[in-house]
Amino acid sequence: MNQQGVRQEGRQGGRQWARWSADQVLALAPDVASLKAGSRLGGSSGSWSEAGWAGGSGAVWGLCSGSGGKPYRTVVDTTGLAYRCSCPSRKFPCKHALGLLLLWAAADEAVKDTPTPPEWVAEWLQGRRAARFEGSSAGVPGSGSGKAADPEAARRRAERRAERVTAGATELEQRLDDLLRAGLAGAEQSGYALWEETAARMVDAQAPGLAARVRELGAIPSSGQGWPVRLLEECAMLHLLDRAWLGRELLPDALATTVRTRVGLPVSAEGPPVRDRWLVLSQQDSSDGKLTTRRIWLHGSRSGRTAQLLDFGAAGRAPGVALPVGLTLDADLMPYPGSGQLRAALGERFGPPERSDGPPEGISTGAALSAYGQALRDDPWLGSWPATLSSVIPVPGAGGSSGWQLADAEGGSALPITPDASARTGLWKLTALSGGSPVTVFGECGHRGFTPLTAWTPGTAEAVPLT
């Protein structure tokens, strides 16, 4: 099967649809094992029967033979990107869903274009959409669903938690002061246990954002040349966050909300919803061993806005939201409050993912740095800022450096690629895609450099995930 997949286009129900590419399907895999197993199932139709897809409903389905006598029933709703399979796997999506989508992406003859899905598929789709409708009306006056929250009780709970966070921030300030008085060199001898104990204290104070930053501090000592400078920088940023929390009443409302978010207090998405055709720029997973965090970047073709979706999965389970990189969603997004915040919640979707017209308009490396600098004025703890770079070429670092850079094809400026990104296979995929010619690259620009996440070759709308 062609790794890039086969794309077919048409119209059903007045809406343009597009088959996904193999890369877009594989980007949904929750882990490497699922990717390999799904690729095997999608490489041949021999294991599948009664497979089909209905573009009007966005459903893809099939029966996959397994180790037992009864085949597994697998169905995917590409409109809301949900999966159901009768196999016992706890992975999401499972290898059967990935294999089915790969067959569909390749336009395999086994997946027949069928206007009406079978009864078991139609029942699942109907149940999903009924549940979505009920969820959208929950809490609406007159809907008869849900129980009104007690605002006074919620206020008291918020006050108690704020008091605990304040106690934790005050204790953390004292510990930072002790560290600096004793000298940073002592951090190398004290080991990680002290940092973990401090982080546990922040968890007890219900400030998970502070706990995460403390754990990051604990990984810096003995991490390579110049670690004392990096440790001092991160201590200063943590001190700034502590002081901002302790003096939050004096901050502008938007910045105070950002501070609450950074220390780890929950913040709800607020309207009004923004409906747009959202291009899925990238999808990236990270894990701390206990929780998998999925970060999805979107760009609105009409509004010009860039937004980030966050979703989480417990250990052993992938996050529930998964979107195909390079396709476009007609959907509502509800933005979260805060100064310089790009996070949003995914609302109603008005159809299956569709073919995109290509990447958003790009900028130069210098403009990307400038945009990141401006964003830091609104959120000083911002680690990176999204940017689409146009006409850049990946090149080895100057002067024999082992690092890589993204250099403007016209002009003398460049951005270093972050060390973590340089160590991943995505860099070699980007280099092969470029072949020494300019490409368009989306990624995150931060104080450590640029992390490329997705690339497009000139003149094509095909996105190539680099993660």
Coordinates of all heavy atoms in Angstrom, one line a residue, residues 363-396:
I363 N 5.1 32.7 7.6 CA 5.9 33.9 8.0 C 7.4 33.5 8.0 O 7.7 32.3 7.9 CB 5.5 34.5 9.3 CG1 5.7 33.4 10.4 CG2 4.1 35.0 9.3 CD1 5.3 34.0 11.8
S364 N 8.2 34.5 8.1 CA 9.7 34.2 8.2 C 10.1 33.8 9.6 O 9.3 33.9 10.6 CB 10.4 35.5 7.8 OG 10.2 36.5 8.8
T365 N 11.3 33.3 9.7 CA 11.8 32.9 11.0 C 11.9 34.1 12.0 O 11.6 34.0 13.2 CB 13.2 32.3 10.9 OG1 14.1 33.2 10.2 CG2 13.1 31.0 10.1
G366 N 12.3 35.3 11.4 CA 12.4 36.5 12.3 C 11.0 36.9 12.8 O 10.8 37.3 13.9
A367 N 10.0 36.8 11.9 CA 8.6 37.2 12.3 C 8.1 36.2 13.4 O 7.3 36.6 14.3 CB 7.7 37.2 11.1
A368 N 8.5 34.9 13.3 CA 8.1 33.9 14.3 C 8.7 34.2 15.7 O 8.0 34.1 16.7 CB 8.5 32.5 13.9
L369 N 9.9 34.7 15.7 CA 10.6 35.1 17.0 C 9.9 36.3 17.5 O 9.6 36.4 18.7 CB 12.0 35.4 16.7 CG 13.0 34.2 16.7 CD1 14.4 34.7 16.4 CD2 13.0 33.5 18.1
S370 N 9.5 37.2 16.7 CA 8.8 38.4 17.1 C 7.5 38.1 17.7 O 7.1 38.7 18.7 CB 8.7 39.4 16.0 OG 8.0 40.6 16.3
A371 N 6.7 37.2 17.1 CA 5.4 36.8 17.6 C 5.5 36.1 18.9 O 4.7 36.3 19.8 CB 4.7 35.9 16.6
Y372 N 6.6 35.3 19.1 CA 6.8 34.6 20.4 C 7.1 35.7 21.5 O 6.6 35.6 22.6 CB 7.9 33.6 20.3 CG 8.3 33.0 21.6 CD1 7.3 32.4 22.4 CD2 9.6 32.9 22.0 CE1 7.7 31.7 23.6 CE2 10.0 32.3 23.2 CZ 9.0 31.7 24.0 OH 9.3 31.2 25.2
G373 N 7.9 36.6 21.1 CA 8.2 37.7 22.1 C 7.0 38.5 22.5 O 6.9 38.8 23.7
Q374 N 6.1 38.8 21.6 CA 4.9 39.5 21.9 C 4.0 38.7 22.8 O 3.4 39.2 23.7 CB 4.2 40.0 20.6 CG 5.0 41.0 19.8 CD 4.3 41.3 18.5 OE1 3.1 40.9 18.3 NE2 4.9 42.0 17.6
A375 N 3.9 37.4 22.5 CA 3.1 36.5 23.3 C 3.6 36.4 24.8 O 2.8 36.3 25.7 CB 3.0 35.1 22.7
L376 N 4.9 36.5 25.0 CA 5.5 36.5 26.3 C 5.1 37.7 27.2 O 5.0 37.6 28.4 CB 7.0 36.4 26.2 CG 7.6 35.1 25.9 CD1 9.1 35.2 25.7 CD2 7.3 34.0 26.9
R377 N 4.7 38.8 26.6 CA 4.2 39.9 27.3 C 2.9 39.6 28.0 O 2.6 40.1 29.1 CB 4.1 41.1 26.4 CG 5.4 41.6 25.8 CD 5.2 42.9 25.1 NE 4.2 42.8 24.0 CZ 3.9 43.8 23.2 NH1 4.5 44.9 23.3 NH2 3.0 43.5 22.2
D378 N 2.1 38.8 27.4 CA 0.8 38.4 27.9 C 0.9 37.2 28.9 O 0.2 37.1 29.9 CB -0.2 38.1 26.8 CG -0.5 39.2 25.9 OD1 -0.6 40.4 26.5 OD2 -0.7 39.0 24.7
D379 N 1.9 36.3 28.6 CA 2.0 35.1 29.5 C 3.5 34.9 29.6 O 4.1 34.2 28.8 CB 1.3 33.9 28.8 CG 1.4 32.7 29.6 OD1 2.0 32.7 30.7 OD2 0.8 31.7 29.2
P380 N 4.2 35.4 30.7 CA 5.6 35.2 30.8 C 6.1 33.8 31.0 O 7.3 33.5 30.8 CB 5.9 36.0 32.1 CG 4.7 36.9 32.3 CD 3.6 36.2 31.7
W381 N 5.1 32.8 31.3 CA 5.5 31.4 31.5 C 5.3 30.6 30.3 O 5.4 29.4 30.3 CB 4.7 30.9 32.7 CG 4.9 31.7 33.9 CD1 5.9 31.7 34.8 CD2 4.0 32.8 34.3 NE1 5.7 32.7 35.8 CE2 4.5 33.3 35.5 CE3 2.8 33.3 33.8 CZ2 4.0 34.4 36.2 CZ3 2.2 34.4 34.5 CH2 2.8 34.9 35.7
L382 N 5.1 31.2 29.2 CA 4.8 30.5 27.9 C 6.1 29.9 27.4 O 7.1 30.5 27.2 CB 4.3 31.5 26.9 CG 3.7 31.0 25.6 CD1 2.4 30.2 25.8 CD2 3.4 32.1 24.6
G383 N 6.0 28.6 27.2 CA 7.2 27.8 26.7 C 7.4 28.0 25.2 O 8.5 27.9 24.8
S384 N 6.3 28.1 24.4 CA 6.4 28.2 23.0 C 5.2 28.8 22.4 O 4.2 29.0 23.1 CB 6.7 26.8 22.4 OG 5.6 26.0 22.7
W385 N 5.3 29.2 21.1 CA 4.2 29.8 20.4 C 4.1 29.2 19.0 O 5.1 29.0 18.4 CB 4.4 31.3 20.3 CG 3.3 32.1 19.9 CD1 3.2 32.7 18.6 CD2 2.1 32.5 20.6 NE1 2.0 33.4 18.6 CE2 1.3 33.3 19.7 CE3 1.6 32.1 21.8 CZ2 0.0 33.7 20.1 CZ3 0.4 32.6 22.2 CH2 -0.4 33.4 21.4
P386 N 2.8 28.9 18.5 CA 2.7 28.3 17.2 C 3.1 29.2 16.1 O 2.8 30.4 16.1 CB 1.2 27.9 17.2 CG 0.6 28.9 18.1 CD 1.5 29.2 19.2
A387 N 3.7 28.7 15.1 CA 4.1 29.5 13.9 C 4.2 28.6 12.7 O 4.6 27.4 12.8 CB 5.4 30.2 14.1
T388 N 3.7 29.1 11.5 CA 3.9 28.4 10.2 C 5.0 29.2 9.5 O 4.8 30.4 9.2 CB 2.6 28.4 9.4 OG1 1.6 27.7 10.2 CG2 2.8 27.7 8.1
L389 N 6.1 28.5 9.2 CA 7.2 29.1 8.5 C 7.1 28.8 7.0 O 6.9 27.6 6.6 CB 8.5 28.6 9.0 CG 8.8 28.7 10.5 CD1 10.1 28.1 10.9 CD2 8.7 30.2 11.0
S390 N 7.2 29.8 6.2 CA 7.2 29.6 4.7 C 8.6 29.6 4.1 O 9.4 30.4 4.6 CB 6.3 30.6 4.1 OG 6.8 31.9 4.3
S391 N 8.8 28.8 3.2 CA 10.0 28.8 2.4 C 11.3 28.7 3.3 O 12.1 29.6 3.3 CB 10.1 30.1 1.5 OG 9.1 30.1 0.6
V392 N 11.3 27.6 4.1 CA 12.5 27.4 4.9 C 13.1 26.1 4.5 O 12.5 25.2 3.9 CB 12.2 27.3 6.4 CG1 11.8 28.7 6.9 CG2 11.1 26.3 6.7
I393 N 14.4 26.0 4.8 CA 15.2 24.8 4.4 C 15.9 24.2 5.6 O 16.6 25.0 6.3 CB 16.3 25.1 3.3 CG1 15.6 25.7 2.1 CG2 17.0 23.9 2.9 CD1 16.6 26.3 1.0
P394 N 15.8 22.9 5.9 CA 16.5 22.4 7.1 C 18.0 22.2 6.7 O 18.3 21.6 5.7 CB 15.8 21.0 7.3 CG 15.2 20.7 6.0 CD 14.8 22.0 5.3
V395 N 18.9 22.8 7.5 CA 20.3 22.7 7.2 C 21.0 22.4 8.5 O 20.6 22.7 9.6 CB 20.8 24.0 6.7 CG1 20.2 24.3 5.3 CG2 20.6 25.2 7.6
P396 N 22.2 21.7 8.4 CA 23.0 21.5 9.6 C 23.5 22.8 10.2 O 23.6 23.8 9.5 CB 24.2 20.6 9.1 CG 23.7 20.1 7.8 CD 22.8 21.1 7.2

